[in-house]
Amino acid sequence: MQKKITALILIAGLGLFGLYTSLQSDDIADVEKSDVPDFAAISDVNAKKTAFFDYLQPAFDVVTAEVLAERALLTTWQTKAELTIDEQTHLQAMADMYKVTADTDQQVITTLLVQVDVIPEELVFSQSANETGWGTSRFAKEGHNFFGQWCFSKGCGIVPNQRDQGAVHEVASFDSITASVRSYFRNINRNQSYLPLRDIRSELRMNDESINACALAAGLINYSERKEAYIDEIRAMIRHNRQFWRHNTTTNYALCAAPEPVITEIVDEDAIELPEVITLTGDAVVEVNEPILVEVKNTTLVETKKSGSTKVEPSNIISNIEDDAVTPEKPVKMAIAE
């Protein structure tokens, strides 16, 4: 009888333990799904930015390390006359991942070295802040989507509340911030829309120059429907938040600098009176019986270029761009990397 009671207690205990374990697992899952901080609750601007960048930093470091490891393998293989079977298998898997085709292993490696490369944190973090309104967007909080990426299969993400009628896209949902950053890297490094960015980066590599976030920003012309305005905004954010970047003392911010303003001189004269005698060339003289009046109906604007300026067109971007003025960008219309 005692053995039966003991057995029943043991079974009940195991059942309770299983229930506790199940509940605990659900709790853990809930924590994992809601691990995005409430950035909107942080009122201090610098504190909010620090929290946002600190949240992204570990995931960025993990993905950057993965890319550098892949690049190191490719560099090693590039020096070999022939790859082993295992190396060829690994290379083919990388080629499939980055959608690269070529006739020889060395051609595949050369092409991959253009694509498998780093993206500076200044650019990554500025885009993320721009796309999510500093982490406050619904898609960042509910789906770890920090880069405005779309997907096109039903149930792949979150359905936008304001999706156009007939549209089928969803905003991609990720299990973690690391998965979101990894997907962003793959899109930038393999999508044809960002070939300009990869070309800029490759040229910097060939010239033995550092990978400049301000230079690479020009390659994001297809990331937003706002085109050049989007690039200007990202560069302004890179410039304005330089105090937060880990390599801010070595980064060249010249390309992120705000363009010099146009200096406009206003001529208020209502009329310009010409002399009675106009000398053309040499001794040739044209006699005018009466003064000639040239009426100026509208104010004359004379544009002059400021000394030392490299641009004369005005900028639409406020140099001191504030974080609260940044709203989530319309997600980029592309399928995300699997």
Side-chain angles (χ1 to χ4, degrees):
M1 181 68 178
Q2 183 67 32
K3 290 182 179 180
K4 289 183 178 180
I5 293 174
T6 302
L8 288 172
I9 292 174
L10 180 60
I11 292 171
L14 289 173
L16 289 172
F17 177 77
L19 177 62
Y20 168 76
T21 303
S22 176
L23 291 173
Q24 187 181 46
S25 299
D26 289 341
D27 290 342
I28 292 173
D30 288 340
V31 170
E32 289 177 350
K33 289 179 181 178
S34 59
D35 68 345
V36 179
D38 185 6
F39 295 111
I42 305 175
S43 58
D44 182 79
V45 171
N46 285 335
K48 180 190 294 185
K49 291 182 178 181
T50 299
F52 181 80
F53 296 142
D54 285 349
Y55 178 70
L56 288 176
Q57 195 76 68
F60 170 83
D61 289 343
V62 165
V63 176
T64 298
E66 293 172 354
V67 171
L68 287 174
E70 289 179 334
R71 187 172 179 83
L73 275 177
L74 291 169
T75 303
T76 301
W77 294 340
Q78 194 176 37
T79 63
K80 300 183 69 171
E82 187 175 352
L83 302 184
T84 66
I85 298 299
D86 288 343
E87 289 170 340
Q88 287 180 331
T89 301
H90 194 166
L91 177 63
Q92 186 57 53
M94 266 192 196
D96 292 342
M97 171 64 69
Y98 287 93
K99 300 180 179 180
V100 171
T101 57
D103 295 332
T104 67
D105 289 343
Q106 287 301 320
Q107 288 175 344
V108 171
I109 291 170
T110 300
T111 304
L112 280 173
L113 281 171
V114 175
Q115 296 184 236
V116 182
D117 209 341
V118 296
I119 307 171
E121 68 176 32
E122 302 96 314
L123 185 61
V124 177
F125 292 177
S126 295
Q127 276 199 273
S128 183
N130 187 283
E131 295 292 330
T132 65
W134 294 92
T136 62
S137 73
R138 170 194 170 204
F139 307 119
K141 292 185 290 186
E142 295 182 11
H144 293 101
N145 192 325
F146 276 71
F147 299 94
Q149 297 173 333
W150 289 11
C151 55
F152 295 89
S153 59
K154 188 173 182 180
C156 64
I158 303 169
V159 177
N161 291 329
Q162 298 179 348
R163 186 172 65 177
D164 294 338
Q165 186 175 3
V168 297
H169 71 274
E170 298 180 13
V171 178
S173 181
F174 301 96
D175 293 333
S176 66
I177 181 60
T178 302
S180 178
V181 174
R182 185 178 292 116
S183 178
Y184 162 83
F185 264 70
R186 288 177 181 172
N187 274 325
I188 294 295
N189 282 339
R190 77 179 191 178
N191 194 295
Q192 284 299 108
S193 296
Y194 311 121
L195 181 59
L197 182 146
R198 298 195 293 271
D199 286 343
I200 294 170
R201 186 175 58 190
S202 179
E203 185 174 352
L204 291 173
R205 286 282 189 195
M206 287 189 294
N207 294 333
D208 199 25
E209 299 178 31
S210 61
I211 308 301
N212 189 327
C214 297
L216 262 59
L220 295 173
I221 192 68
N222 295 317
Y223 203 94
S224 167
E225 293 178 351
R226 291 186 289 129
K227 302 292 184 179
E228 289 84 358
Y230 179 76
I231 293 173
D232 289 342
E233 191 167 300
I234 295 301
R235 282 176 166 170
M237 294 181 73
I238 292 173
R239 181 181 70 252
H240 184 63
N241 294 296
R242 68 177 67 185
Q243 62 177 310
F244 297 98
W245 313 139
R246 288 181 291 182
H247 309 293
N248 61 357
T249 58
T250 57
T251 300
N252 181 3
Y253 293 98
L255 288 176
C256 281
E260 294 284 356
V262 172
I263 299 175
T264 303
E265 297 176 358
I266 302 177
V267 180
D268 292 324
E269 298 165 322
D270 293 331
I272 301 175
E273 184 175 341
L274 297 180
E276 295 184 1
V277 178
I278 302 177
T279 303
L280 298 178
T281 57
D283 297 330
V285 176
V286 176
E287 297 290 342
V288 181
N289 294 326
E290 296 181 0
I292 299 175
L293 291 179
V294 179
E295 295 295 333
V296 181
K297 295 182 180 179
N298 299 317
T299 299
T300 303
L301 298 180
V302 181
E303 291 186 349
T304 60
K305 184 177 178 182
K306 183 176 179 181
S307 177
S309 172
T310 57
K311 293 184 179 180
V312 295
E313 60 272 10
S315 171
N316 291 325
I317 301 300
I318 300 175
S319 60
N320 292 331
I321 185 167
E322 296 294 341
D323 66 325
D324 291 335
V326 179
T327 55
E329 167 62 20
K330 186 175 182 180
V332 62
K333 298 180 181 179
M334 74 165 98
I336 64 168
E338 295 296 334

